[in-house]
Amino acid sequence: MTDQRDQGRGFRVPKPPARPGETPDFSGINLGEPGKLPLLDAEAPVEAFEPFHHDLLRVLDMDGKAHGDWAGLVTDDDKKTALKAMIRTRAFDARMMRAQRQGKTSFYMQCLGEEAIAVGATLATRDGDMQFPTYRQQGILFAKGVDPEVMMNQIYSNRKDPLQGKQLPVLYSFKEYGFFTISGNLGTQWPQAVGWAMASAIKNDDKIAVAYIGDGATAEGDWHQGNLFASVYRAPVLLCVVNNQWAISTTAAFAGADKNTFAARMASYGLPALRVDGNDLLAVLAACRLSAQRARAGLGAVGIEFLTYRRGAHSTSDDPTKYRAKEEVEGWPLGDPIDRLKQHMIVTGLMTADEIDTLEKDAETEMREAENRAEENGLVHAGQGAEPAAMFEGVYAEMPGRLREQMKEAGF
Amino acid sequence: MSETLSNTKTMNMIEAIRDAHDVAMERDDDVVVFGEDAGYFGGVFRCTAGLQEKYGTSRCFDAPIAESGIVGAGIGMAAYGLKPVIEIQFADYITPAYDQISQEAARIRYRSNGQFTCPIVIRTPTGGGIYGGQTHSQSPEAIFTHVTGLKVLIPSNPYDAKGLLIAAIEDPDPVIILEPKRLYNGPFEGYHDRALKGWKDHEDGQVPEGYYTVEIGKAKTVRAGNAVTVLCYGNMVHVCQAAQEEAGVDAEIIDLRSLLPLDLEAIETSVKKTGRCVIVHEATKTCGYGAELMALVQERCFYHLEAPITRVTGWDTPYPHAQEWTYFPGPTRVAAALKKVVEAK
C-alpha cells in the first residue's frame, strides 16, 4: 500500500486501500489464477510449498467452475454438507445480529463473508481432533452439528447457558465437539493448539489440532512462539491465519501484511505453508485435507493463510463506515463464499437454484425456531439469567474456604 | 516418623525436587517435564538431571527461550490430558508468560464451566541472597496470589519441596511453585559471612524415598512459642529462626508453605494465642503478600491483638547487586522487629 510520508523524517504509518469517500484499490494483492498451482503430495518436501507462499491456491473461478487437480480432494457430498453449514452459519449470524439490535443480548460478532474457512477446515478434521478457534469461527459449530439453541442460550446468558452465564456472548466452549474454550485474550490459543498437538504426538496418537488466528492478532508474541514450537517439535497442527484485511479499524498492514504474506512468514520458521483463497470452499477444504493428511502422517504442522474479507462490522459495537470505504465490500475481488459455492453447485448440476432456495428458507426457519426456544429459557437482560450462585463455582476443582465464605457473604 | 526414617535419605533441595519428578514420572506416564535447558543438560540448577536419559526425549525435553510459548504449549498439553511440569529458569523471567498464566491457565476451568481444565505445574527458582542482582533475585509471589484460579506454593526445605511438588503434579488445578534458590544447597539463616550449612544436619534434609505428599494449603509450625506469631515462608523461615535466637523472644514461627490457598486456621489459632504478629518476606513491601496477611490478621484477630502488626520485607526498590545485604531482610532486622512488637504496650 501507499506510504504516508507527510509527517516526521521518514516516519511511516500504513494506509488502508481506501478511507470513507475514496475508491478502493485491491490491485496490490496477488490473486493468482484458479487451477494454476500443481497438486502437492501429502508427503511433499517443504521446498515444494514455495510457490504457494506468495501465489494463491484457487480452485473455483468467478463463474463457479472448478479448475486443477486440487478439486479432486473434494467430493460432491462435501460440497453439499459445506453449503448447508455455511448457509446455516449466515442465517444464525443474521438472527443474532437482529437479536442484539432488539436488546436481547449485549453483544454479537458475525463472520459474514468468512463462512467457507471454518466450515471447510472442519470438514477436513475427524472426531477427536481439537480446534482452537477465535471468536469468528462459529462455522465450526455448524459443520459439527451443534444445536443452535444451545449457542443462543450462551449468547443470552440464560438459565440453560452451558457456561452458566460466566462468559461473554460468543465466547463458546464445546468440548464434546472438539471446540476449545474461546478466550478474550488474542493469540493465546495459538501456542495452546501447538501444545495440544505436541501432546498427541508424545502419546503416539493420530489426532490433530487446528489453530486459528486473525491477521491483526499475528502481531502478538504468541503467534511467533507458536509457529516456532510447531516447527521445532514438528507438532501435528494446522496453523490457520484468517486474513480478512481488517483488525477492527486497522488494516492488515499494521501486522506487516503489506511487507510479506502470512504464508511466507510462517514458512520462514521452516513450516510448509499455503496461501489459499478463503472464499473458495473447494480450495479451503482441499488445502486443509492435504495438510491434515500430512500432520496425521507425522510430518508436522502446515501454516495456511486464508485470504478473505471481513464484510461485516467487527462487532455489534463497531461501525466500519467510520474508517473504510463502503465500496470495499462489493469491490473485494474474491467475492462472497456462499454465492460462489451456490453458483458452482448450479453450473455443475449438483443442486438446482430451487433446492438451494429451500436450504436457505429452511435455515431461516430453523434459526427463528431455535431463537424462540432459547428465548423461553430466559434473557439475561430481562433478569432471567443464569443462577447467581453459579458464579462462585468452578474457580478450582474444589471450592476453597475463603471463597465459600464470600459466597455466604453474597447471600448464598 | 520412625517408620519412614528407615527409608529416608539425605537430600538437598535440588535432589529432592529431582526425586519428586522421578517419582511422579514413574507413577504416571502422562507427566511430561520441559523448560529451557531442562532436558539433556538437566537444568541450570540440576533439578531435572537424568530424567531425559531415564524417560526419553518425549517425557523430558528442552524448550526454546520463549516463556509464553512454554506455558501456552503446556496449557494445550494439559487440555489434551497430559500433566506438564514446566520449569521457568528464574522467577524474574516468568513475566513474558503472565498472560498465559493469569488469563488462560487460571481461567480455563471457570470460563469453560469445567469442560476444560489445566492441571499444570510451573516451577521457578525465586528469591535473593545470591548476588543475583535485579533479574535473578526477585520474589514475584504477589503477582500470582492476586490471580484467582491459581495455587501458589513455596517450600523452605527438601522434605517439603518433594512432597509439595508431587502433590502439585497430582492437583487438578494450575500450581506455581516458587523454589528459593538460596536454599537449594543448604538452609540459609541470612548470615552471609558464615560458612554455609548443608542439608545433611537438618531434620528436613532427611527425605523419604519413593512416594509421599505434603498437603497443599497447610502451614507448618517450625517453632512453638507464646510471645509473638511470625508468619513467613521460603528463605525467611530460616532467617526468622535465627532472629528468634538472636532476640531471645519466645516466638511461634509459622512456615506458610502454601500462599494460595492459605492455612488461615493455623494463623488465626496462633495469633489469638500470642496476641502479636510479625510478617516477614523478601519481596518488596508495597502491595506485597504481607499486606494480604496483615489484612487477614486484622480482620480475624483484631480483638486479640496487643500491638500493631509489623512487616519486615525487602525495600521498595529493584533488587540491587552491591547492596545485597542492606536489601535482604536478615536476622538483625527481623530480631529488632520481634523485640519491638513483643515490648509494645
Side-chain angles (χ1 to χ4, degrees):
Chain A
M1 311 293 149
T2 328
D3 283 8
Q4 229 174 12
R5 291 190 182 276
D6 55 354
Q7 47 187 308
R9 191 202 299 199
F11 180 66
R12 167 201 184 239
V13 175
K15 199 179 165 292
R19 288 296 188 193
E22 294 174 358
T23 307
D25 173 17
F26 291 110
S27 60
I29 300 176
N30 182 359
L31 296 171
E33 216 178 284
K36 184 184 133 201
L37 288 162
L39 179 63
L40 292 176
D41 186 84
E43 301 193 358
V46 176
E47 302 77 57
F49 287 76
E50 271 168 29
F52 295 80
H53 298 166
H54 292 94
D55 210 330
L56 192 65
L57 174 60
R58 299 175 68 176
V59 175
L60 290 179
D61 63 22
M62 298 311 281
D63 299 320
K65 288 194 205 89
H67 300 269
D69 294 336
W70 287 85
L73 296 181
V74 182
T75 69
D76 290 347
D77 277 349
D78 289 331
K79 296 172 194 171
K80 287 180 186 166
T81 308
L83 183 63
K84 191 176 172 190
M86 287 160 68
I87 285 172
R88 290 172 71 233
T89 305
R90 187 166 290 185
F92 182 91
D93 275 357
R95 201 75 218 166
M96 288 297 97
M97 288 298 287
R98 195 174 320 163
Q100 193 275 340
R101 298 298 185 225
Q102 293 167 341
K104 292 177 187 172
T105 177
S106 54
F107 185 71
Y108 190 69
M109 300 179 100
Q110 58 182 339
C111 66
L112 189 69
E114 301 172 34
E115 295 90 343
I117 297 162
V119 167
T122 304
L123 294 186
T125 65
R126 294 182 192 161
D127 286 348
D129 294 341
M130 186 63 75
Q131 320 233 21
F132 288 75
T134 76
Y135 46 67
R136 224 185 287 282
Q137 275 79 47
Q138 52 265 57
I140 294 169
L141 299 171
F142 293 96
K144 294 291 270 186
V146 176
D147 180 353
E149 179 196 333
V150 181
M151 295 168 66
M152 291 172 182
N153 288 336
Q154 196 280 329
I155 291 165
Y156 292 165
S157 292
N158 64 21
R159 292 184 297 261
K160 289 200 173 170
D161 174 0
L163 305 183
Q164 291 193 296
K166 293 169 180 176
Q167 188 60 294
L168 270 177
V170 314
L171 301 187
Y172 311 109
S173 177
F174 286 101
K175 189 180 184 181
E176 71 271 36
Y177 293 98
F179 187 98
F180 191 68
T181 159
I182 301 177
S183 171
N185 291 50
L186 296 182
T188 51
Q189 74 286 352
W190 196 259
Q192 291 168 4
V194 175
W196 195 97
M198 287 165 69
S200 177
I202 286 168
K203 289 307 221 182
N204 248 322
D205 198 347
D206 65 354
K207 295 191 183 90
I208 62 168
V210 184
Y212 289 92
I213 201 165
D215 46 87
T218 63
E220 294 282 1
D222 274 348
W223 187 62
H224 302 275
Q225 302 197 12
N227 292 340
L228 179 69
F229 277 58
S231 172
V232 167
Y233 296 110
R234 213 162 55 194
V237 56
L238 273 49
L239 298 166
C240 304
V241 174
V242 180
N243 178 4
N244 71 11
Q245 315 303 316
W246 289 94
I248 308 185
S249 74
T250 58
T251 65
F254 282 91
D258 60 341
K259 298 295 180 191
N260 206 349
T261 68
F262 294 107
R265 291 166 71 190
M266 287 190 279
S268 74
Y269 290 90
L271 296 164
L274 303 165
R275 184 168 172 268
V276 178
D277 178 353
N279 289 8
D280 173 352
L281 183 275
L282 274 63
V284 171
L285 179 47
C288 291
R289 197 155 265 167
L290 180 108
S291 304
Q293 282 169 7
R294 190 177 172 89
R296 278 187 223 288
L299 296 168
V302 180
I304 312 172
E305 173 184 353
F306 294 109
L307 196 65
T308 185
Y309 187 82
R310 195 195 79 207
R311 296 191 59 170
H314 165 71
S315 73
T316 50
S317 309
D318 175 48
D319 175 8
T321 65
K322 296 279 194 286
Y323 53 78
R324 73 182 187 191
K326 278 181 191 156
E327 295 76 14
E328 267 197 32
V329 176
E330 294 312 318
W332 176 247
L334 297 173
D336 177 84
I338 294 182
D339 290 348
R340 286 177 63 191
L341 185 56
K342 277 158 70 172
Q343 196 182 18
H344 173 69
M345 303 303 256
I346 293 166
V347 300
T348 54
L350 268 172
M351 286 179 93
T352 64
D354 283 349
E355 283 171 327
I356 295 171
D357 205 39
T358 305
L359 264 189
E360 289 182 326
K361 288 209 169 70
D362 287 352
E364 275 174 40
T365 308
E366 183 197 0
M367 298 314 157
R368 193 168 54 243
E369 287 173 0
E371 192 192 0
N372 291 339
R373 289 196 301 277
E375 220 169 312
E376 279 169 28
N377 300 330
L379 295 172
V380 69
H381 294 284
Q384 303 151 324
E387 199 55 48
M391 182 187 98
F392 292 95
E393 289 158 14
V395 181
Y396 296 92
E398 271 180 55
M399 192 181 292
R402 283 176 77 187
L403 195 52
R404 214 171 295 124
E405 281 177 18
Q406 290 171 28
M407 191 173 166
K408 212 173 150 191
E409 199 182 323
F412 303 106
Chain B
M1 198 68 195
S2 58
E3 272 179 4
T4 53
L5 267 180
S6 58
N7 298 321
T8 62
K9 201 174 150 185
T10 301
M11 293 187 201
N12 64 25
M13 216 154 140
I14 292 163
E15 290 161 337
I17 290 163
R18 200 215 72 87
D19 196 40
H21 282 102
D22 195 358
V23 168
M25 291 174 89
E26 187 79 55
R27 283 169 66 91
D28 186 349
D29 286 343
D30 290 335
V31 177
V32 292
V33 176
F34 64 105
E36 294 159 20
D37 305 294
Y40 182 85
F41 181 52
V44 295
F45 291 106
R46 319 303 300 147
C47 290
T48 56
L51 298 175
Q52 186 175 82
E53 198 182 358
K54 184 166 176 186
Y55 296 98
T57 49
S58 65
R59 299 281 307 282
C60 177
F61 49 91
D62 292 306
I65 303 172
E67 286 78 11
S68 183
I70 290 172
V71 176
I75 291 168
M77 289 180 194
Y80 177 93
L82 298 189
K83 293 188 168 178
V85 184
I86 288 162
E87 180 176 292
I88 300 292
Q89 206 157 75
F90 286 88
D92 313 70
Y93 304 134
I94 203 166
T95 40
Y98 195 62
D99 189 32
Q100 288 285 356
I101 295 170
S102 66
Q103 306 302 308
E104 300 293 321
R107 306 275 196 258
I108 278 172
R109 178 188 294 277
Y110 189 74
R111 77 169 195 237
S112 71
N113 203 26
Q115 288 178 14
F116 294 93
T117 60
C118 189
I120 63 169
V121 177
I122 302 170
R123 298 175 34 246
T124 188
T126 191
I130 57 150
Y131 282 106
Q134 296 186 31
T135 54
H136 298 81
S137 307
Q138 293 174 66
S139 299
E141 60 269 19
I143 68 169
F144 298 109
T145 52
H146 193 56
V147 178
T148 188
L150 295 181
K151 293 183 178 173
V152 181
L153 315 179
I154 176 162
S156 68
N157 60 69
Y159 181 92
D160 287 350
K162 178 174 171 183
L164 284 172
L165 177 50
I166 296 174
I169 292 169
E170 291 182 343
D171 195 275
D173 293 309
V175 183
I176 294 186
I177 306 184
L178 298 152
E179 299 167 357
K181 61 183 102 61
R182 191 63 184 83
L183 304 179
Y184 273 160
N185 289 305
F188 177 66
E189 295 171 338
Y191 300 114
H192 58 279
D193 43 357
R194 298 183 192 172
L196 177 71
K197 293 180 196 168
W199 281 108
K200 66 179 184 340
D201 298 323
H202 195 286
E203 187 194 7
D204 293 325
Q206 305 309 307
V207 179
E209 293 184 292
Y211 174 86
Y212 72 95
T213 58
V214 168
E215 193 184 344
I216 292 172
K218 288 280 176 247
K220 180 185 173 191
T221 303
V222 296
R223 184 187 187 278
N226 291 302
V228 55
T229 299
V230 179
L231 303 179
C232 57
Y233 50 88
N235 277 340
M236 292 302 120
V237 172
H238 306 279
V239 169
C240 290
Q241 284 173 284
Q244 182 275 323
E245 281 181 30
E246 206 171 294
V249 167
D250 184 22
E252 179 145 296
I253 302 172
I254 298 178
D255 177 358
L256 296 174
R257 300 199 288 200
S258 173
L259 305 186
L260 195 67
L262 179 67
D263 191 346
L264 263 175
E265 205 186 321
I267 295 171
E268 246 184 280
T269 307
S270 177
V271 176
K272 283 180 178 169
K273 179 178 74 175
T274 63
R276 293 162 204 265
C277 181
V278 172
I279 295 159
V280 187
H281 62 59
E282 215 183 319
T284 50
K285 189 168 196 171
T286 301
C287 296
Y289 189 67
E292 177 67 13
L293 290 171
M294 205 165 180
L296 287 166
V297 170
Q298 193 277 146
E299 278 172 12
R300 290 164 195 255
C301 309
F302 184 78
Y303 294 106
H304 294 80
L305 288 174
E306 292 168 40
I309 309 158
T310 297
R311 283 178 286 173
V312 185
T313 69
W315 308 115
D316 281 346
T317 69
Y319 205 113
H321 185 251
Q323 302 88 344
E324 174 107 66
W325 306 113
T326 310
Y327 178 93
F328 188 91
T332 311
R333 268 176 67 199
V334 177
L338 290 178
K339 278 191 209 158
K340 196 176 156 201
V341 168
V342 169
E343 285 158 13
K345 289 268 174 342

